[in-house]
Amino acid sequence: MPKHTQYRSRGKKALDADDVEWLEANPVDHDLPPTGDRWSTWDQSTPTERGPKPYPGWLVTELAAVDTELGILKTGKEADVHLISRGVPGTDRVCLLAAKRYRDSEHRLFHRDAGYLEGRTVKESRMNRAMAKRTSFGMKLIAGQWAQAEFDALCRLHALGLPVPYPVQIVGTEILQEFIGTADGFAAPRLATVSDGLESLWEQLVEAMVRLAHEGLAHGDLSAYNLLVQDGRLVVIDLPQIVDVISHPSGPEFLERDARNVATWFASKGVAAADPDTVAALLLREARLS
């Protein structure tokens, strides 16, 4: 227990010189919760920055809840994903969340953003110029666009019933979403590491891609590495680059690339139905682009 916490809990009034020196060097942050790493950020998001209603029963929304960092689930070029436990101290109200945090401007790469962000402009020309020149301010704007685009995509797709994590909330460039894994914090495996039940997983994926195409959307970076498998169920993740294939000038190419990437992987694993050309043609028809 930290030294200043001991004094508070014991109600100690008289401090010796060493105690005073330690407390001056380690001031108490009265905004911190008694346990965990931070208070729940639920009240920092507006209603439009939270997931679709009704909120799932497992989600902890109480303002007395605290967030506890449990480690990193994934590191990437644009963002890291952390595991968080959100719970109300002294109760059994607790849930696990995946916190995707886009990196600050000093470390963010966004090596693929030029094609994906085409058409995602803002009203102020100053902001558009900053993003085009990749200034520090522009990179922060891009980070915000990626985070907001992913959160909006999760909300839209979840509302449509597609297999994506439930989007809990967005706070700045941090997206909190449903943790896909076990109750004790083990993340579901990526499709790339799975070898069983591939025929069923392929059927699930084709259904999801067809429904996306019907909505005029493509994942934009679909592969065996951004698909999770939980108890035989396929879950689509990593959606910041989702593409409107109708308005984007290269929309059909994104749709075809997604189809070919995943179909080629499944075909290499012996799934006979996974023909890249057939699936690409199916998605183009479903999106009314052929």
Side-chain angles (χ1 to χ4, degrees):
M1 178 182 294
K3 195 171 185 180
H4 64 274
T5 303
Q6 294 180 38
Y7 288 128
R8 277 209 309 263
S9 62
R10 294 175 184 173
K12 184 173 180 178
K13 296 180 180 179
L15 304 179
D16 57 31
D18 289 339
D19 293 330
V20 172
E21 182 179 355
W22 188 92
L23 288 170
E24 289 177 347
N26 299 272
V28 178
D29 187 343
H30 295 288
D31 292 330
L32 292 177
T35 62
D37 294 294
R38 68 183 187 188
W39 290 107
S40 166
T41 57
W42 180 252
D43 63 337
Q44 296 181 28
S45 297
T46 66
T48 59
E49 295 170 332
R50 297 173 183 166
K53 290 184 177 181
Y55 302 133
W58 55 262
L59 179 60
V60 175
T61 60
E62 290 89 335
L63 297 185
V66 298
D67 291 346
T68 302
E69 301 275 345
L70 299 181
I72 295 180
L73 294 170
K74 176 193 174 186
T75 60
K77 291 183 174 66
E78 294 90 17
D80 296 328
V81 182
H82 299 250
L83 179 61
I84 286 181
S85 173
R86 173 171 289 179
V88 181
T91 75
D92 60 357
R93 288 282 293 155
V94 63
C95 66
L96 292 177
L97 303 175
K100 186 169 186 177
R101 296 167 182 164
Y102 283 89
R103 297 186 180 186
D104 60 35
S105 58
E106 286 76 17
H107 298 90
R108 193 181 309 112
L109 296 182
F110 292 122
H111 63 298
R112 301 162 300 170
D113 66 356
Y116 294 109
L117 291 177
E118 188 169 352
R120 287 189 199 169
T121 58
V122 294
K123 292 182 179 180
E124 294 189 28
S125 59
R126 178 177 67 94
M127 294 182 177
N128 287 324
R129 288 196 299 272
M131 288 190 290
K133 294 179 179 179
R134 299 301 189 270
T135 65
S136 177
F137 174 60
M139 292 298 283
K140 291 178 182 179
L141 290 174
I142 291 174
Q145 283 203 353
W146 277 69
Q148 191 65 55
E150 179 161 23
F151 184 74
D152 291 345
L154 285 169
C155 289
R156 180 177 179 182
L157 300 187
H158 187 275
L160 290 170
L162 272 82
V164 297
Y166 177 78
V168 173
Q169 65 181 118
I170 182 171
V171 182
T173 55
E174 177 186 75
I175 300 172
L176 288 165
Q177 55 193 290
E178 175 187 4
F179 169 66
I180 306 299
T182 64
D184 52 356
F186 287 93
R190 297 180 183 277
L191 174 62
T193 66
V194 173
S195 57
D196 297 328
L198 293 182
E199 287 78 8
S200 172
L201 294 173
W202 170 245
E203 292 174 359
Q204 293 178 50
L205 180 55
V206 171
E207 179 181 356
M209 288 192 296
V210 165
R211 294 181 67 185
L212 273 173
H214 183 76
E215 295 294 323
L217 301 172
H219 182 284
D221 192 32
L222 198 59
S223 76
Y225 292 93
N226 46 35
L227 294 164
L228 302 181
V229 180
Q230 184 183 43
D231 299 327
R233 179 177 71 100
L234 199 72
V235 181
V236 183
I237 61 170
D238 292 341
L239 291 155
Q241 67 288 311
I242 194 166
V243 175
D244 184 325
V245 298
I246 307 301
S247 64
H248 196 291
S250 301
E253 286 81 0
F254 281 109
L255 204 63
E256 290 181 317
R257 188 175 69 183
D258 277 356
R260 295 183 185 283
N261 282 348
V262 293
T264 299
W265 185 88
F266 273 96
S268 72
K269 302 300 179 181
V271 178
D275 177 67
D277 292 334
T278 300
V279 178
L282 172 63
L283 298 186
L284 288 171
R285 287 197 303 273
E286 194 65 30
R288 299 168 292 282
L289 292 173
S290 67

